[in-house]
Coordinates of all heavy atoms in Angstrom, one line a residue:
M85 N 39.2 -72.8 -132.1 CA 37.9 -72.5 -132.7 C 36.7 -72.0 -131.9 O 36.0 -71.1 -132.1 CB 37.5 -73.5 -133.9 CG 36.4 -73.2 -134.7 SD 36.9 -72.2 -136.1 CE 35.4 -72.1 -137.0
K86 N 36.5 -72.9 -130.9 CA 35.3 -72.7 -129.9 C 35.6 -71.5 -129.2 O 34.7 -70.7 -129.0 CB 35.3 -73.9 -129.1 CG 34.1 -73.9 -128.2 CD 33.8 -75.0 -127.3 CE 32.7 -74.9 -126.4 NZ 32.5 -76.2 -125.6
N87 N 36.8 -71.2 -128.8 CA 37.2 -69.9 -128.0 C 37.0 -68.6 -128.9 O 36.6 -67.7 -128.3 CB 38.6 -70.1 -127.4 CG 38.7 -71.1 -126.3 OD1 37.9 -71.3 -125.7 ND2 39.9 -71.5 -126.2
Q88 N 37.4 -68.9 -130.1 CA 37.3 -67.7 -131.0 C 35.7 -67.4 -131.2 O 35.4 -66.3 -131.3 CB 37.9 -68.0 -132.4 CG 39.4 -68.0 -132.3 CD 39.9 -68.5 -133.7 OE1 39.2 -69.1 -134.5 NE2 41.3 -68.1 -133.8
A89 N 35.0 -68.4 -131.3 CA 33.5 -68.2 -131.5 C 32.9 -67.6 -130.3 O 32.0 -66.6 -130.3 CB 32.7 -69.6 -131.8
Q90 N 33.4 -68.1 -129.1 CA 32.8 -67.4 -127.8 C 33.2 -66.0 -127.6 O 32.5 -65.1 -127.2 CB 33.4 -68.3 -126.6 CG 32.8 -69.7 -126.5 CD 33.2 -70.5 -125.4 OE1 34.4 -70.4 -125.1 NE2 32.5 -71.5 -124.9
D91 N 34.5 -65.8 -128.1 CA 34.9 -64.4 -128.0 C 34.3 -63.5 -129.0 O 33.8 -62.4 -128.6 CB 36.4 -64.3 -128.4 CG 37.3 -64.8 -127.3 OD1 36.9 -65.1 -126.1 OD2 38.5 -65.1 -127.6
A92 N 33.8 -63.9 -130.2 CA 33.1 -63.3 -131.0 C 31.6 -63.0 -130.5 O 31.1 -61.8 -130.7 CB 33.0 -63.9 -132.3
V93 N 31.1 -64.1 -129.9 CA 29.7 -63.9 -129.4 C 29.9 -62.8 -128.2 O 28.9 -62.0 -128.1 CB 29.1 -65.2 -128.9 CG1 27.9 -65.0 -128.0 CG2 28.9 -66.2 -130.0
A94 N 30.7 -62.9 -127.4 CA 30.8 -62.0 -126.3 C 31.1 -60.6 -126.7 O 30.6 -59.7 -126.2 CB 31.9 -62.4 -125.4
S95 N 32.1 -60.3 -127.8 CA 32.1 -59.1 -128.3 C 31.0 -58.5 -128.9 O 30.7 -57.3 -128.9 CB 33.4 -59.2 -129.4 OG 33.5 -57.9 -130.0
A96 N 30.3 -59.4 -129.6 CA 29.0 -58.9 -130.3 C 27.9 -58.5 -129.3 O 27.1 -57.6 -129.4 CB 28.4 -60.0 -131.3
A97 N 27.8 -59.3 -128.2 CA 26.9 -59.1 -127.1 C 27.3 -57.7 -126.5 O 26.3 -56.9 -126.2 CB 26.9 -60.1 -126.1
T98 N 28.5 -57.5 -126.2 CA 29.0 -56.2 -125.6 C 28.7 -55.0 -126.4 O 28.1 -54.0 -126.1 CB 30.4 -56.2 -125.3 OG1 30.7 -57.3 -124.4 CG2 30.9 -54.9 -124.7
A99 N 28.7 -55.1 -127.8 CA 28.5 -54.1 -128.7 C 27.1 -53.8 -128.7 O 26.6 -52.7 -128.8 CB 28.9 -54.5 -130.2
V100 N 26.1 -54.8 -128.8 CA 24.7 -54.7 -128.7 C 24.4 -54.0 -127.5 O 23.5 -53.0 -127.5 CB 24.0 -56.0 -128.9 CG1 22.5 -55.9 -128.7 CG2 24.2 -56.6 -130.3
R101 N 24.9 -54.4 -126.2 CA 24.5 -53.7 -125.0 C 25.0 -52.2 -125.0 O 24.1 -51.4 -124.6 CB 25.2 -54.5 -123.9 CG 24.4 -55.6 -123.3 CD 25.1 -56.0 -122.0 NE 25.1 -57.7 -122.1 CZ 26.3 -58.2 -122.4 NH1 27.4 -57.5 -122.3 NH2 26.4 -59.5 -122.5
D102 N 26.1 -52.1 -125.5 CA 26.4 -50.6 -125.6 C 25.6 -49.7 -126.5 O 25.1 -48.6 -126.1 CB 28.0 -50.5 -126.1 CG 29.0 -51.1 -125.1 OD1 28.6 -51.2 -123.9 OD2 30.1 -51.3 -125.5
T103 N 25.3 -50.3 -127.7 CA 24.4 -49.6 -128.6 C 22.9 -49.4 -127.9 O 22.5 -48.2 -128.1 CB 24.1 -50.4 -130.0 OG1 25.5 -50.6 -130.5 CG2 23.2 -49.7 -130.8
V104 N 22.5 -50.4 -127.3 CA 21.1 -50.2 -126.6 C 21.2 -49.2 -125.5 O 20.3 -48.3 -125.3 CB 20.7 -51.6 -126.1 CG1 19.4 -51.4 -125.2 CG2 20.4 -52.5 -127.2
A105 N 22.4 -49.2 -124.7 CA 22.3 -48.2 -123.6 C 22.6 -46.8 -124.1 O 21.9 -45.8 -123.7 CB 23.7 -48.5 -122.8
H106 N 23.3 -46.6 -125.3 CA 23.4 -45.4 -126.0 C 22.0 -44.9 -126.4 O 21.6 -43.7 -126.3 CB 24.4 -45.5 -127.0 CG 24.6 -44.1 -127.8 ND1 23.8 -43.7 -128.7 CD2 25.5 -43.1 -127.5 CE1 24.2 -42.4 -129.2 NE2 25.2 -42.1 -128.5
T107 N 21.3 -45.8 -127.1 CA 20.0 -45.4 -127.6 C 19.0 -45.1 -126.4 O 18.3 -44.0 -126.6 CB 19.4 -46.6 -128.4 OG1 20.3 -47.1 -129.5 CG2 18.0 -46.3 -129.0
V108 N 19.0 -45.7 -125.4 CA 18.3 -45.4 -124.3 C 18.5 -44.0 -123.7 O 17.6 -43.3 -123.4 CB 18.3 -46.5 -123.2 CG1 17.7 -46.0 -121.8 CG2 17.7 -47.8 -123.6
H109 N 19.8 -43.8 -123.5 CA 20.2 -42.4 -123.0 C 19.9 -41.3 -124.0 O 19.3 -40.2 -123.6 CB 21.7 -42.4 -122.7 CG 22.1 -43.1 -121.6 ND1 21.7 -42.8 -120.3 CD2 22.9 -44.3 -121.5 CE1 22.1 -43.8 -119.5 NE2 22.9 -44.5 -120.2
T110 N 19.9 -41.6 -125.3 CA 19.5 -40.6 -126.4 C 18.0 -40.3 -126.3 O 17.5 -39.1 -126.2 CB 19.9 -41.0 -127.7 OG1 21.4 -41.3 -127.7 CG2 19.5 -40.1 -128.7
V111 N 17.2 -41.4 -126.1 CA 15.8 -41.3 -126.2 C 15.5 -40.5 -124.8 O 14.6 -39.6 -124.9 CB 15.1 -42.5 -126.2 CG1 13.6 -42.5 -125.8 CG2 15.3 -43.3 -127.6
R112 N 16.1 -40.9 -123.8 CA 15.6 -40.2 -122.5 C 16.0 -38.7 -122.5 O 15.3 -37.8 -122.0 CB 16.4 -40.8 -121.4 CG 15.7 -42.1 -121.0 CD 16.4 -42.7 -119.7 NE 15.7 -43.9 -119.3 CZ 16.2 -44.9 -118.6 NH1 17.4 -44.7 -118.0 NH2 15.7 -46.1 -118.3
D113 N 17.1 -38.4 -123.2 CA 17.5 -37.0 -123.2 C 16.7 -36.1 -124.1 O 16.6 -34.9 -124.0 CB 19.1 -36.9 -123.7 CG 20.0 -37.5 -122.7 OD1 19.6 -37.6 -121.6 OD2 21.2 -37.6 -123.1
H114 N 16.1 -36.7 -125.1 CA 15.4 -35.9 -126.1 C 13.9 -36.0 -126.0 O 13.0 -35.3 -126.6 CB 15.8 -36.4 -127.6 CG 17.2 -35.9 -127.8 ND1 18.4 -36.7 -127.6 CD2 17.6 -34.8 -128.4 CE1 19.3 -36.0 -128.0 NE2 19.0 -34.9 -128.4
A115 N 13.3 -37.0 -125.2 CA 11.8 -37.3 -125.2 C 11.3 -36.4 -124.0 O 12.0 -36.1 -123.0 CB 11.6 -38.7 -124.8
P116 N 10.2 -35.8 -124.3 CA 9.5 -35.0 -123.3 C 9.2 -35.8 -122.1 O 8.9 -37.1 -122.1 CB 8.1 -34.5 -124.0 CG 8.3 -34.6 -125.3 CD 9.3 -35.8 -125.5
Q117 N 9.1 -35.1 -120.9 CA 9.0 -35.8 -119.6 C 7.5 -36.6 -119.6 O 7.5 -37.8 -119.1 CB 9.1 -34.9 -118.4 CG 9.0 -35.6 -117.1 CD 10.1 -36.6 -116.9 OE1 11.3 -36.4 -117.3 NE2 9.9 -37.8 -116.3
D118 N 6.6 -36.1 -120.2 CA 5.2 -36.6 -120.1 C 5.3 -37.9 -121.0 O 4.6 -39.0 -120.6 CB 4.1 -35.7 -120.6 CG 4.4 -35.3 -122.0 OD1 5.4 -35.1 -122.5 OD2 3.1 -34.9 -122.6
V119 N 6.0 -38.0 -122.0 CA 6.2 -39.3 -122.8 C 6.9 -40.2 -122.0 O 6.5 -41.5 -121.9 CB 6.8 -39.0 -124.2 CG1 7.2 -40.2 -124.8 CG2 6.1 -38.0 -125.0
L120 N 7.9 -39.9 -121.2 CA 8.7 -40.9 -120.4 C 7.8 -41.4 -119.3 O 7.8 -42.5 -119.0 CB 9.9 -40.2 -119.9 CG 11.0 -39.8 -120.9 CD1 12.0 -39.1 -120.2 CD2 11.5 -41.0 -121.7
D121 N 6.9 -40.5 -118.7 CA 6.1 -40.9 -117.7 C 5.0 -42.0 -118.2 O 4.7 -43.0 -117.5 CB 5.3 -39.7 -117.0 CG 6.3 -38.8 -116.2 OD1 7.3 -39.3 -115.9 OD2 5.9 -37.7 -116.1
R122 N 4.5 -41.5 -119.2 CA 3.4 -42.5 -119.9 C 4.1 -43.8 -120.3 O 3.5 -44.9 -120.1 CB 2.9 -41.8 -121.2 CG 1.7 -42.6 -121.9 CD 0.5 -42.5 -121.0 NE -0.5 -43.4 -121.8 CZ -1.4 -43.9 -121.2 NH1 -1.6 -44.0 -119.9 NH2 -2.3 -44.7 -121.9
A123 N 5.3 -43.9 -120.9 CA 6.0 -45.1 -121.2 C 6.2 -46.0 -119.9 O 6.0 -47.1 -119.8 CB 7.3 -44.8 -121.8
G124 N 6.6 -45.3 -118.9 CA 6.8 -46.0 -117.5 C 5.6 -46.6 -117.0 O 5.6 -47.7 -116.6
H125 N 4.5 -45.8 -117.2 CA 3.1 -46.3 -116.7 C 2.8 -47.5 -117.6 O 2.2 -48.5 -117.0 CB 2.2 -45.1 -116.9 CG 0.7 -45.7 -116.5 ND1 0.4 -46.0 -115.3 CD2 -0.4 -45.8 -117.4 CE1 -1.0 -46.4 -115.2 NE2 -1.5 -46.3 -116.7
L126 N 2.9 -47.4 -118.9 CA 2.6 -48.5 -119.7 C 3.4 -49.8 -119.5 O 2.9 -50.9 -119.5 CB 2.7 -48.1 -121.2 CG 1.5 -47.2 -121.7 CD1 1.8 -46.6 -123.0 CD2 0.3 -47.7 -121.6
A127 N 4.6 -49.6 -119.1 CA 5.5 -50.8 -118.8 C 5.2 -51.5 -117.6 O 5.0 -52.7 -117.5 CB 7.0 -50.2 -118.7
D128 N 4.7 -50.6 -116.5 CA 4.2 -51.1 -115.3 C 2.9 -52.0 -115.5 O 2.7 -53.1 -114.9 CB 4.0 -50.0 -114.3 CG 5.2 -49.4 -113.7 OD1 6.2 -50.1 -113.8 OD2 5.2 -48.3 -113.3
L129 N 2.0 -51.3 -116.4 CA 0.7 -52.1 -116.7 C 1.1 -53.4 -117.4 O 0.4 -54.4 -117.1 CB -0.1 -51.1 -117.6 CG -1.5 -51.6 -118.0 CD1 -2.3 -51.8 -116.6 CD2 -2.1 -50.6 -118.9
A130 N 2.0 -53.4 -118.4 CA 2.3 -54.6 -119.0 C 2.9 -55.7 -118.1 O 2.5 -57.0 -118.2 CB 3.4 -54.3 -120.2
R131 N 3.7 -55.2 -117.1 CA 4.3 -56.2 -116.1 C 3.2 -56.7 -115.3 O 3.2 -58.0 -115.1 CB 5.3 -55.6 -115.5 CG 6.6 -55.4 -116.0 CD 7.8 -54.9 -115.0 NE 7.8 -53.6 -114.7 CZ 8.3 -52.5 -115.4 NH1 8.9 -53.0 -116.5 NH2 8.1 -51.3 -115.1
G132 N 2.3 -56.0 -115.0 CA 1.1 -56.4 -114.1 C 0.3 -57.4 -115.0 O -0.2 -58.5 -114.4
T133 N 0.0 -57.1 -116.2 CA -0.8 -58.0 -117.0 C -0.2 -59.3 -117.3 O -0.7 -60.3 -117.2 CB -1.1 -57.3 -118.4 OG1 -1.9 -56.1 -118.1 CG2 -2.0 -58.2 -119.3
A134 N 1.1 -59.2 -117.4 CA 2.0 -60.5 -117.7 C 1.9 -61.3 -116.3 O 1.8 -62.6 -116.5 CB 3.4 -60.2 -117.9
A135 N 2.1 -60.7 -115.3 CA 2.0 -61.5 -113.9 C 0.6 -62.1 -113.8 O 0.4 -63.3 -113.4 CB 2.2 -60.6 -112.7
H136 N -0.4 -61.3 -114.1 CA -1.8 -61.9 -114.0 C -2.0 -63.0 -114.9 O -2.6 -64.1 -114.6 CB -2.8 -60.8 -114.2 CG -4.2 -61.3 -114.3 ND1 -5.0 -61.7 -113.1 CD2 -5.1 -61.5 -115.2 CE1 -6.0 -62.2 -113.4 NE2 -6.3 -62.0 -114.6
A137 N -1.5 -63.1 -116.1 CA -1.6 -64.1 -117.1 C -0.9 -65.3 -116.7 O -1.2 -66.5 -116.8 CB -1.1 -63.5 -118.5
R138 N 0.3 -65.0 -116.0 CA 1.1 -66.1 -115.5 C 0.3 -67.0 -114.4 O 0.2 -68.1 -114.3 CB 2.4 -65.7 -115.0 CG 3.2 -66.8 -114.5 CD 4.5 -66.3 -113.9 NE 4.3 -65.8 -112.6 CZ 4.7 -64.5 -112.3 NH1 5.3 -63.7 -113.1 NH2 4.4 -64.0 -111.0
H139 N -0.4 -66.1 -113.5 CA -1.2 -66.8 -112.4 C -2.4 -67.5 -113.1 O -2.7 -68.5 -112.6 CB -1.6 -65.7 -111.4 CG -0.5 -65.1 -110.6 ND1 0.2 -65.9 -109.8 CD2 0.0 -63.9 -110.6 CE1 1.2 -65.1 -109.3 NE2 0.9 -64.0 -109.6
V140 N -3.0 -66.9 -114.0 CA -4.2 -67.6 -114.6 C -3.8 -68.9 -115.3 O -4.4 -69.9 -115.1 CB -4.9 -66.7 -115.6 CG1 -6.0 -67.4 -116.5 CG2 -5.5 -65.6 -114.8
A141 N -2.6 -68.8 -116.0 CA -2.2 -70.0 -116.8 C -1.8 -71.1 -115.8 O -2.0 -72.2 -115.9 CB -1.0 -69.6 -117.6
T142 N -1.1 -70.7 -114.6 CA -0.8 -71.7 -113.6 C -1.9 -72.3 -113.0 O -2.0 -73.5 -112.8 CB 0.1 -70.9 -112.6 OG1 1.2 -70.4 -113.1 CG2 0.5 -71.9 -111.5
D143 N -3.0 -71.5 -112.8 CA -4.1 -72.1 -112.1 C -4.9 -73.0 -113.1 O -5.7 -74.0 -112.6 CB -5.1 -70.9 -111.7 CG -4.5 -70.1 -110.5 OD1 -3.6 -70.6 -109.9 OD2 -5.1 -69.0 -110.3
H144 N -4.9 -72.9 -114.3 CA -5.7 -73.7 -115.3 C -4.8 -74.7 -116.0 O -5.2 -75.3 -116.9 CB -6.2 -72.8 -116.3 CG -7.4 -71.9 -115.7 ND1 -7.1 -70.6 -115.2 CD2 -8.7 -72.1 -115.4 CE1 -8.3 -70.2 -114.7 NE2 -9.3 -71.1 -114.9
T145 N -3.6 -74.9 -115.6 CA -2.7 -76.0 -116.3 C -2.5 -77.1 -115.4 O -2.2 -76.9 -114.2 CB -1.4 -75.2 -116.7 OG1 -1.5 -74.1 -117.5 CG2 -0.4 -76.2 -117.4
S146 N -2.6 -78.3 -115.9 CA -2.3 -79.4 -115.1 C -0.9 -79.5 -114.6 O 0.1 -79.0 -115.2 CB -2.7 -80.7 -116.0 OG -1.7 -80.8 -116.9
P147 N -0.6 -80.2 -113.5 CA 0.6 -80.3 -112.8 C 1.7 -81.0 -113.8 O 2.8 -80.7 -113.9 CB 0.4 -81.1 -111.7 CG -1.0 -80.8 -111.2 CD -1.7 -80.7 -112.6
Q148 N 1.1 -82.0 -114.6 CA 2.0 -82.7 -115.5 C 2.5 -81.8 -116.6 O 3.7 -81.9 -116.8 CB 1.2 -83.9 -116.0 CG 2.0 -84.8 -117.0 CD 1.3 -85.8 -117.8 OE1 0.1 -86.0 -117.6 NE2 2.0 -86.6 -118.5
L149 N 1.6 -81.0 -117.2 CA 2.1 -80.1 -118.2 C 3.1 -78.9 -117.7 O 4.0 -78.6 -118.3 CB 0.8 -79.3 -118.8 CG 1.0 -78.6 -120.0 CD1 1.6 -79.3 -121.1 CD2 -0.2 -78.0 -120.6
R150 N 2.7 -78.4 -116.4 CA 3.7 -77.5 -115.8 C 5.0 -78.2 -115.7 O 6.2 -77.6 -115.8 CB 3.1 -77.1 -114.5 CG 2.0 -76.1 -114.6 CD 1.8 -75.3 -113.3 NE 1.5 -76.3 -112.2 CZ 0.2 -76.4 -111.7 NH1 -0.8 -75.7 -112.0 NH2 0.0 -77.3 -110.7
S151 N 5.1 -79.5 -115.2 CA 6.4 -80.2 -115.1 C 7.0 -80.2 -116.4 O 8.3 -80.1 -116.4 CB 6.1 -81.6 -114.4 OG 7.2 -82.3 -114.4
Q152 N 6.4 -80.6 -117.4 CA 7.0 -80.8 -118.7 C 7.5 -79.4 -119.2 O 8.6 -79.3 -119.9 CB 5.9 -81.3 -119.7 CG 5.6 -82.8 -119.6 CD 4.5 -83.2 -120.5 OE1 3.8 -82.4 -121.1 NE2 4.3 -84.6 -120.5
A153 N 6.8 -78.3 -118.9 CA 7.2 -77.0 -119.4 C 8.5 -76.6 -118.5 O 9.4 -76.0 -119.2 CB 6.2 -76.0 -119.1
A154 N 8.5 -76.9 -117.2 CA 9.6 -76.7 -116.5 C 10.8 -77.4 -117.0 O 12.0 -76.9 -117.1 CB 9.2 -76.9 -115.0
H155 N 10.6 -78.7 -117.3 CA 11.8 -79.4 -117.9 C 12.2 -78.8 -119.2 O 13.5 -78.7 -119.4 CB 11.3 -80.8 -118.1 CG 12.3 -81.6 -118.7 ND1 13.5 -82.1 -118.0 CD2 12.5 -82.2 -120.0 CE1 14.3 -82.8 -118.8 NE2 13.7 -82.9 -120.0
A156 N 11.4 -78.4 -120.0 CA 11.8 -77.8 -121.3 C 12.6 -76.5 -121.1 O 13.6 -76.2 -121.6 CB 10.7 -77.4 -122.2
V157 N 12.1 -75.7 -120.0 CA 12.9 -74.4 -119.8 C 14.3 -74.8 -119.2 O 15.3 -74.2 -119.6 CB 12.1 -73.6 -118.8 CG1 12.9 -72.5 -118.1 CG2 10.8 -73.1 -119.4
G158 N 14.3 -75.8 -118.4 CA 15.6 -76.2 -117.8 C 16.5 -76.6 -118.9 O 17.8 -76.3 -118.9
V159 N 16.1 -77.5 -120.0 CA 16.9 -77.8 -121.1 C 17.3 -76.6 -121.8 O 18.5 -76.6 -122.2 CB 16.1 -78.8 -121.9 CG1 16.9 -79.1 -123.2 CG2 16.0 -80.2 -121.2
A160 N 16.4 -75.8 -122.1 CA 16.8 -74.6 -122.8 C 17.9 -73.8 -122.1 O 18.9 -73.2 -122.8 CB 15.5 -73.7 -123.1
R161 N 17.9 -73.5 -120.9 CA 18.8 -72.8 -120.1 C 20.2 -73.6 -120.1 O 21.2 -73.0 -120.0 CB 18.2 -72.6 -118.6 CG 17.4 -71.6 -118.6 CD 16.9 -71.2 -117.2 NE 15.9 -70.1 -117.1 CZ 14.9 -70.1 -116.3 NH1 14.9 -70.9 -115.1 NH2 14.1 -69.0 -116.2
A162 N 20.1 -74.9 -119.9 CA 21.3 -75.6 -119.9 C 22.1 -75.5 -121.3 O 23.2 -75.6 -121.3 CB 21.0 -77.0 -119.7
N163 N 21.3 -75.4 -122.3 CA 21.8 -75.3 -123.7 C 22.0 -73.9 -124.2 O 22.0 -73.7 -125.5 CB 21.1 -76.3 -124.6 CG 21.2 -77.7 -124.2 OD1 22.3 -78.1 -123.8 ND2 20.2 -78.4 -124.3
R164 N 21.9 -73.0 -123.4 CA 21.9 -71.6 -123.8 C 23.1 -71.1 -124.6 O 22.9 -70.5 -125.8 CB 21.7 -70.6 -122.6 CG 21.6 -69.3 -123.0 CD 21.4 -68.4 -121.7 NE 20.5 -68.9 -120.8 CZ 20.3 -68.5 -119.6 NH1 21.0 -67.4 -119.1 NH2 19.6 -69.0 -118.9
T165 N 24.3 -71.5 -124.2 CA 25.5 -71.2 -124.8 C 25.6 -71.7 -126.2 O 25.9 -71.0 -127.2 CB 26.7 -71.5 -124.0 OG1 26.6 -70.9 -122.7 CG2 28.0 -71.1 -124.7
P166 N 25.4 -73.0 -126.4 CA 25.5 -73.6 -127.8 C 24.4 -72.9 -128.7 O 24.7 -72.6 -129.9 CB 25.2 -75.1 -127.6 CG 25.6 -75.4 -126.1 CD 25.1 -74.2 -125.5
M167 N 23.2 -72.7 -128.2 CA 22.1 -72.1 -128.9 C 22.6 -70.6 -129.3 O 22.3 -70.2 -130.5 CB 20.8 -72.0 -128.2 CG 20.3 -73.5 -128.2 SD 18.7 -73.7 -127.2 CE 18.1 -72.2 -126.8
L168 N 23.1 -69.8 -128.4 CA 23.6 -68.5 -128.7 C 24.7 -68.4 -129.7 O 24.8 -67.7 -130.7 CB 24.1 -67.7 -127.5 CG 22.9 -67.3 -126.5 CD1 23.4 -66.8 -125.2 CD2 22.0 -66.3 -127.2
M169 N 25.6 -69.5 -129.5 CA 26.8 -69.6 -130.5 C 26.2 -69.9 -132.0 O 26.7 -69.4 -132.9 CB 27.8 -70.6 -130.1 CG 28.6 -70.1 -128.9 SD 29.8 -71.2 -128.4 CE 30.7 -71.5 -129.7
A170 N 25.2 -70.7 -131.9 CA 24.7 -71.2 -133.3 C 23.9 -69.9 -133.9 O 24.1 -69.7 -135.1 CB 23.8 -72.3 -133.0
A171 N 23.2 -69.2 -133.2 CA 22.6 -67.9 -133.6 C 23.5 -67.0 -134.1 O 23.3 -66.4 -135.2 CB 21.7 -67.4 -132.4
A172 N 24.7 -66.8 -133.4 CA 25.6 -65.7 -133.8 C 26.3 -66.3 -135.0 O 26.6 -65.4 -136.0 CB 26.6 -65.7 -132.6
A173 N 26.7 -67.5 -135.2 CA 27.2 -68.1 -136.4 C 26.2 -67.8 -137.5 O 26.7 -67.5 -138.7 CB 27.5 -69.5 -136.4
A174 N 24.9 -67.9 -137.4 CA 24.1 -67.8 -138.3 C 24.0 -66.3 -138.9 O 23.9 -66.0 -140.1 CB 22.6 -68.2 -138.0
V175 N 24.0 -65.4 -137.8 CA 24.0 -64.0 -138.2 C 25.2 -63.6 -138.9 O 25.1 -62.9 -139.9 CB 23.7 -63.1 -136.8 CG1 24.0 -61.7 -137.1 CG2 22.4 -63.4 -136.2
L176 N 26.4 -64.1 -138.5 CA 27.6 -63.8 -139.1 C 27.6 -64.2 -140.6 O 28.1 -63.6 -141.5 CB 28.9 -64.3 -138.4 CG 29.1 -63.6 -136.9 CD1 30.1 -64.4 -136.3 CD2 29.5 -62.2 -137.2
T177 N 27.1 -65.4 -140.7 CA 27.1 -66.0 -142.1 C 26.1 -65.3 -143.0 O 26.5 -65.0 -144.1 CB 26.5 -67.6 -142.0 OG1 27.5 -68.3 -141.2 CG2 26.5 -68.2 -143.3
A178 N 25.0 -64.9 -142.4 CA 23.9 -64.1 -143.2 C 24.7 -62.7 -143.6 O 24.6 -62.2 -144.7 CB 22.7 -64.0 -142.5
A179 N 25.4 -62.1 -142.7 CA 26.0 -60.8 -142.9 C 27.1 -61.0 -144.0 O 27.2 -60.2 -144.9 CB 26.6 -60.3 -141.7
L180 N 27.8 -62.0 -143.9 CA 29.0 -62.3 -144.9 C 28.4 -62.5 -146.3 O 28.8 -62.0 -147.2 CB 29.9 -63.4 -144.5 CG 30.8 -63.2 -143.3 CD1 31.4 -64.3 -142.9 CD2 31.8 -62.0 -143.7
L181 N 27.3 -63.3 -146.3 CA 26.6 -63.7 -147.5 C 26.1 -62.4 -148.3 O 26.1 -62.0 -149.4 CB 25.6 -64.7 -147.4 CG 26.1 -66.2 -147.3 CD1 24.8 -67.1 -147.0 CD2 26.8 -66.6 -148.5
H182 N 25.4 -61.5 -147.4 CA 24.9 -60.3 -147.8 C 25.8 -59.4 -148.5 O 25.7 -58.9 -149.4 CB 24.1 -59.7 -146.8 CG 23.5 -58.3 -147.1 ND1 22.5 -58.1 -148.0 CD2 24.0 -57.1 -146.7 CE1 22.4 -56.9 -148.1 NE2 23.1 -56.1 -147.4
R183 N 27.1 -59.4 -147.7 CA 28.1 -58.5 -148.2 C 28.7 -59.0 -149.5 O 29.1 -58.1 -150.3 CB 29.3 -58.5 -147.1 CG 30.3 -57.5 -147.3 CD 31.1 -57.4 -146.1 NE 31.8 -56.1 -145.9 CZ 32.6 -55.7 -145.0 NH1 32.9 -56.5 -144.2 NH2 33.2 -54.5 -145.0
L184 N 28.9 -60.4 -149.5 CA 29.4 -60.9 -150.8 C 28.4 -60.6 -151.9 O 28.9 -60.3 -153.1 CB 29.7 -62.5 -150.7 CG 30.9 -62.8 -149.7 CD1 30.9 -64.2 -149.5 CD2 32.2 -62.2 -150.5
L185 N 27.2 -61.0 -151.7 CA 26.3 -60.9 -152.7 C 26.0 -59.3 -153.2 O 25.8 -59.0 -154.4 CB 24.9 -61.4 -152.5 CG 25.0 -63.0 -152.2 CD1 23.6 -63.5 -151.7 CD2 25.3 -63.7 -153.6
S186 N 26.1 -58.5 -152.3 CA 25.8 -57.1 -152.6 C 27.0 -56.4 -153.4 O 26.9 -55.5 -154.1 CB 25.5 -56.2 -151.4 OG 26.6 -56.1 -150.6
G187 N 28.1 -57.1 -153.2 CA 29.4 -56.7 -153.9 C 29.3 -57.0 -155.4 O 30.1 -56.4 -156.1
R188 N 28.8 -57.9 -155.6 CA 28.5 -58.4 -157.0 C 27.7 -57.6 -158.0 O 27.6 -57.7 -159.2 CB 28.1 -59.8 -157.1 CG 29.1 -60.7 -156.5 CD 28.7 -62.3 -156.9 NE 29.8 -63.0 -156.2 CZ 29.7 -64.4 -156.2 NH1 28.7 -65.0 -156.8 NH2 30.6 -65.1 -155.7
R189 N 26.9 -56.7 -157.4 CA 25.9 -56.0 -158.2 C 26.4 -54.8 -158.8 O 27.3 -54.2 -158.8 CB 24.7 -55.4 -157.3 CG 23.8 -56.6 -156.9 CD 22.8 -56.1 -155.8 NE 22.2 -57.2 -155.3 CZ 21.2 -57.2 -154.4 NH1 20.8 -55.9 -154.0 NH2 20.7 -58.1 -153.9

């Protein structure tokens, strides 16, 4: 059962990646160059702003709170697979329920 769930999650993740890649290529093929240039500039600006916010937050946060946050991130990373499997199960359940309920109308 666990292997089937892992396979389903991996298959869904691959399908999502493929869809995103196809969408990105479609947008790049059909968007004017000036729009793509502006989007790239805005993405760079957003990355710079995020980095600045990270530095400000680091400077103004106590070492104890930073340690607790680092621990929470470590726990989340360690439990990533079970969390992803639970999320995938929830999505599949919602899709099945939607399909069953829409069929009764």
Side-chain angles (χ1 to χ4, degrees):
M85 179 79 171
K86 184 177 180 180
N87 289 336
Q88 290 174 343
Q90 288 175 336
D91 291 343
V93 169
S95 176
T98 301
V100 168
R101 271 191 232 107
D102 292 344
T103 302
V104 168
H106 181 274
T107 303
V108 167
H109 289 297
T110 301
V111 168
R112 282 187 182 158
D113 291 345
H114 291 90
Q117 187 60 40
D118 61 330
V119 171
L120 295 175
D121 292 342
R122 182 75 178 146
H125 174 69
L126 290 173
D128 290 341
L129 186 62
R131 280 190 285 274
T133 302
H136 177 69
R138 185 182 72 235
H139 290 299
V140 169
T142 301
D143 291 343
H144 291 91
T145 303
S146 70
Q148 181 184 7
L149 187 58
R150 283 194 304 249
S151 173
Q152 289 174 347
H155 177 70
V157 168
V159 168
R161 283 186 180 150
N163 296 319
R164 184 181 313 174
T165 301
M167 289 176 14
L168 287 174
M169 289 179 60
V175 168
L176 290 173
T177 302
L180 289 173
L181 286 174
H182 176 71
R183 192 172 206 185
L184 287 172
L185 294 176
S186 66
R188 291 185 181 182
R189 293 182 189 177

